[in-house]
Amino acid sequence: MRHLLLGLIEFREHNLPLYAERFRELSAGQEPDTLFITCADSRVAPNLLASTEPGELFTMRNVGNLMPPAHADGISSGDLSEASAVEYAVTVLKVKNIIVCGHYRCSGVEATLRGDRLGLSDNWLRHVQDVREKHAQHLGLEEDFARRSARLCELNVIEQVVNVCKTTIIQDAWDRGQEVTVHGWVYGLQDGLLQPLGMTVDSNETLSQHLESSLTRYQPVAQKVTV
Ligand code: CO
């Protein structure tokens, strides 16, 4: 806590003057062109990674960078905070891009892979378990835990992109001709690099095309060959 308080003082004394004008401008309103959905993990720092400044990224974070799928009636199966963030970003801020950014070695994903029981969060991570079960064939026979984890982190991002696209918020935006593109990225904690996962979706047509082509990379998991 002391470190944090000293940091606040340091910012106020040394950096605030550099930002003062920008903060004054931003107090009048925000016009970010991107909604950034990522994990709550402290090691993922969106503004640092993207070299963006205050006011440039509208950010929504939760454990596992999840956008729970909507039920058939269009109501989110998570709580309403995720859907509200997407709705505000799309209908009010009119962002042009939504980035779902997962990261390797995600604790939420790895807890799911190990079958850990954590308590309340098991209910939240059920959404990751659903991804794991849905893509069981894409996880295949991969036995190495790190590779299995990496693969599920990527599949989780891909599936969250699908969930964002299928919300009535995005469907309605596309129907009225509003341009909004949903991207799937994954971040490497070790190398600081962001990788696109081939999910750059701006319509229902590109959603099915890119989903199919993105998943093809997961097919060649070694199968035991019996002669
Ligand atoms: Co995480």
Side-chain angles (χ1 to χ4, degrees), residues 76-222:
S76 171
S77 60
D79 64 36
L80 290 176
S81 77
E82 295 82 32
S84 301
V86 174
E87 182 177 68
Y88 189 78
V90 172
T91 62
V92 178
L93 298 174
K94 303 209 172 350
V95 297
K96 296 273 192 294
N97 298 287
I98 297 176
I99 296 165
V100 179
C101 181
H103 67 98
Y104 295 120
R105 305 312 308 260
C106 181
S107 304
V109 169
E110 296 198 341
T112 305
L113 267 184
R114 284 193 299 263
D116 293 348
R117 295 297 301 269
L118 302 171
L120 192 61
S121 49
D122 298 337
N123 299 288
W124 178 248
L125 293 175
R126 177 69 229 180
H127 297 298
V128 182
Q129 185 66 31
D130 289 345
V131 175
R132 181 189 181 185
E133 290 172 8
K134 183 174 179 180
H135 292 283
Q137 79 277 21
H138 297 120
L139 286 166
L141 300 174
E142 180 59 71
E143 285 178 1
D144 179 81
F145 184 80
R147 283 202 293 269
R148 231 176 132 68
S149 164
R151 189 167 280 208
L152 187 55
C153 286
E154 294 175 2
L155 288 164
N156 184 49
V157 168
I158 290 170
E159 203 58 35
Q160 304 317 310
V161 168
V162 173
N163 290 345
V164 170
C165 291
K166 287 186 174 175
T167 59
T168 50
I169 304 156
I170 298 298
Q171 292 293 311
D172 290 347
W174 286 342
D175 279 350
R176 62 178 176 261
Q178 184 177 340
E179 287 179 17
V180 54
T181 304
V182 186
H183 311 258
W185 294 357
V186 66
Y187 172 66
L189 297 174
Q190 286 184 311
D191 57 18
L193 296 176
L194 284 164
Q195 309 273 2
L197 291 172
M199 294 293 284
T200 304
V201 182
D202 59 5
S203 65
N204 285 318
E205 293 71 39
T206 50
L207 174 59
S208 43
Q209 288 163 6
H210 290 207
L211 179 59
E212 194 179 330
S213 61
S214 289
L215 292 178
T216 56
R217 85 180 70 137
Y218 303 109
Q219 300 299 347
V221 172

